[in-house]
Amino acid sequence: MEQYEPDRLSSAQEAAIRRSFRDGRAALTRRSLLRASTGGALAVGGLGALSACGIPAAGNTEGGVSAEDRSAKERTVAFSNWTEYMDVDDSGRRHPTLEAFTRRTGIKVTYTEDINDNTEFFGKIKPQLAAGQDTGRDIIVLTDWLAARLIRLGWVQKLDASHLPHAFANVASSYRTPDWDPGRAYSYPWQGIATVIAYNRKALDGVEVRTLSDLLDNPKLKGRVGLLTEMRDTMGMALLDMGKDPRSFSADDYDAALARLQKTVDKGQIRRFTGNDYTADLAKGDLAACVAWAGDVVQLQADNPDIGFVIPDSGYMLSSDNLLIPNKARHKTNAERLIDYYFEPRPAAQLAAYINFVCPVDGVKDELAKLDEDAANNPLILPDQDMQAKSRAFRSLSSEEETAFEGKFAKLTGA
């Protein structure tokens, strides 16, 4: 039986979502992060929608509820995704991989970029899911913590492995067994999100940066260090730096890592906690080094040779956005065929060449090299085995833990 989760978010959770709306990953479109002419805050429903995001008690977590699968009769699939999270070719033609899928299968894809933020989108689909109704979507893409919640609630369908041979064979080892979906019974990763340490060589002026401790303790970097407003990323990196595993840490471990960061805040080492807006400060050199997202680093490096990155020996944080089929979806088989298609090397490479996030598909390097040799050799897009071995995920949290941890982190950041 699913444990009851409150109908309203705690004040700490609301504060975390405000941070995400204001300057976190939710604040800017993925591909236009660094385009000053087009980047900007996403339109969101505001906090008035948050009260609708509470979750009632749920009973069944045995694979969700299917509807009559109309895939054979209705050659279509409805796919909801984040903004700027699909390939565009050099001529500006949108979504050539989807066009290729339709040519091959005869299945028309209704593709909608209607996900601006996990919580906002959940507010859209929750009423139908809670009522056992079709959302009108066959595939949705959610970040791992929310994907875990929907699986826990029994609101997504169990996948048919016989329809997913490429996905099963080619999903990278780092993504095979998340604690919230062991064996990928209900989801497959769309893209990976790596959290690393980035730096500006000119701003470092000879200072060596290899670990998070270098950022936190070196007086030469005082006031020129950035940390992220996303709790799981910053706290995960801090836990790793202290020799703790984010996959299995205790509340005491969390408090110790928090106290470590608080000391650096108190002595003025941290310039500020940021979302994607750290990119401008890093490029200008106002930040000498910071905790950063790999996709941003790849795009910054394209315009600024002084931008570099380091993977600490202690490891780095890796999360993912994930493909799921919601309850009552009417075209489950068609959806599974589309999911499987993106685990074939060629379409996976086309996607990676445009998006520049971590590709969760093994065996794409040769195909990606045909499109972009630099991308094929970039470990932030295609991690090698050594880098994969250093990746760590932030463990799933209970509702009580999430409230407590977010509240403490909000005090640290001054949110």
Side-chain angles (χ1 to χ4, degrees):
M1 179 71 71
E2 170 68 14
Q3 185 177 4
Y4 176 77
E5 299 188 30
D7 285 334
R8 295 187 62 86
L9 297 176
S10 70
S11 58
Q13 289 169 316
E14 289 189 2
I17 292 162
R18 286 190 185 95
R19 292 198 305 274
S20 185
F21 282 171
R22 183 178 67 246
D23 56 10
R25 280 209 310 134
L28 299 174
T29 63
R30 281 163 156 69
R31 187 62 180 182
S32 61
L33 292 176
L34 308 178
R35 298 174 186 168
S37 61
T38 58
L42 291 169
V44 295
L47 287 176
L50 293 179
S51 61
C53 296
I55 303 173
N60 182 7
T61 58
E62 296 300 320
V65 181
S66 62
E68 176 189 355
D69 191 349
R70 304 181 184 182
S71 293
K73 296 179 181 178
E74 299 175 3
R75 308 293 287 167
T76 186
V77 59
F79 185 177
S80 280
N81 204 348
W82 294 69
T83 307
E84 302 290 346
Y85 219 15
M86 184 62 74
D87 56 315
V88 176
D89 69 14
D90 291 339
S91 68
R93 183 167 55 100
R94 293 177 64 78
H95 314 154
T97 55
L98 290 177
E99 292 179 1
F101 174 78
T102 297
R103 286 195 301 271
R104 181 199 296 184
T105 65
I107 299 170
K108 180 181 178 181
V109 182
T110 302
Y111 184 74
T112 308
E113 295 180 335
D114 60 345
I115 305 178
N116 292 330
D117 171 77
N118 286 287
T119 302
E120 180 201 21
F121 183 71
F122 183 65
K124 292 180 183 178
I125 63 175
K126 179 208 163 195
Q128 294 101 315
L129 292 172
Q133 298 171 352
D134 177 21
T135 66
R137 301 167 175 87
D138 299 305
I139 300 176
I140 56 179
V141 180
L142 300 176
T143 305
D144 43 19
W145 63 267
L146 184 55
R149 181 179 288 181
L150 262 66
I151 292 171
R152 206 165 60 235
L153 289 164
W155 286 357
V156 294
Q157 297 187 52
K158 193 169 186 177
L159 301 172
D160 185 338
S162 69
H163 297 157
L164 297 157
H166 297 98
F168 180 81
N170 295 336
V171 63
S173 59
S174 300
Y175 303 91
R176 282 192 176 272
T177 56
D179 65 354
W180 47 270
D181 187 16
R184 290 289 181 182
Y186 298 92
S187 69
Y188 271 94
W190 175 247
Q191 294 292 291
I193 305 160
T195 303
V196 300
I197 293 174
Y199 57 83
N200 183 311
R201 289 183 183 86
K202 282 187 177 179
L204 284 179
D205 193 25
V207 174
E208 184 177 19
V209 168
R210 301 297 303 170
T211 68
L212 185 65
S213 288
D214 292 333
L215 275 64
L216 302 181
D217 297 334
N218 193 324
K220 293 182 179 179
L221 298 180
K222 183 176 180 179
R224 298 190 296 135
V225 170
L227 299 177
L228 292 170
T229 55
E230 296 291 340
M231 182 270 286
R232 288 168 175 82
D233 295 323
T234 290
M235 292 304 298
M237 294 293 280
L239 287 163
L240 285 168
D241 191 64
M242 296 177 67
K244 302 297 182 180
D245 191 337
R247 298 171 299 186
S248 59
F249 66 91
S250 68
D252 287 343
D253 294 334
Y254 184 92
D255 288 345
L258 197 76
R260 166 98 165 95
L261 295 182
Q262 187 66 60
K263 288 181 180 179
T264 67
V265 170
D266 292 343
K267 69 182 183 181
Q269 188 76 3
I270 308 304
R271 180 181 178 88
R272 63 191 182 103
F273 288 82
T274 73
N276 291 112
D277 52 332
Y278 68 81
T279 54
D281 286 348
L282 185 63
K284 290 186 297 182
D286 291 340
L287 285 175
C290 61
V291 176
W293 289 305
D296 294 348
V297 176
V298 172
Q299 294 181 43
L300 279 169
Q301 287 179 319
D303 299 316
N304 190 335
D306 291 321
I307 302 301
F309 72 94
V310 62
I311 304 297
D313 288 340
S314 59
Y316 68 99
M317 297 305 297
L318 183 66
S319 57
S320 60
D321 288 327
N322 304 274
L323 300 150
L324 305 104
I325 300 176
N327 281 359
K328 294 292 185 176
R330 299 184 180 187
H331 309 101
K332 182 173 184 285
T333 299
N334 291 346
E336 288 165 339
R337 291 188 68 181
L338 183 56
I339 292 171
D340 193 62
Y341 166 76
Y342 278 106
F343 281 83
E344 296 179 24
R346 185 172 182 181
Q350 289 177 271
L351 200 62
Y354 181 76
I355 294 176
N356 294 159
F357 276 57
V358 184
C359 179
V361 183
D362 278 340
V364 304
K365 186 167 186 175
D366 289 345
E367 289 291 340
L368 185 54
K370 297 175 185 177
L371 303 170
D372 187 335
E373 189 169 351
D374 288 340
N377 292 315
N378 192 327
L380 297 182
I381 298 174
L382 294 183
D384 57 25
Q385 289 186 350
D386 288 342
M387 184 169 171
Q388 287 186 43
K390 293 181 179 180
S391 70
R392 297 292 183 268
F394 201 93
R395 70 170 173 83
S396 297
L397 301 178
S398 68
S399 297
E400 293 79 7
E401 286 178 321
E402 186 169 18
T403 298
F405 291 173
E406 285 285 9
K408 293 175 181 179
F409 188 71
K411 291 180 181 178
L412 173 73
T413 64

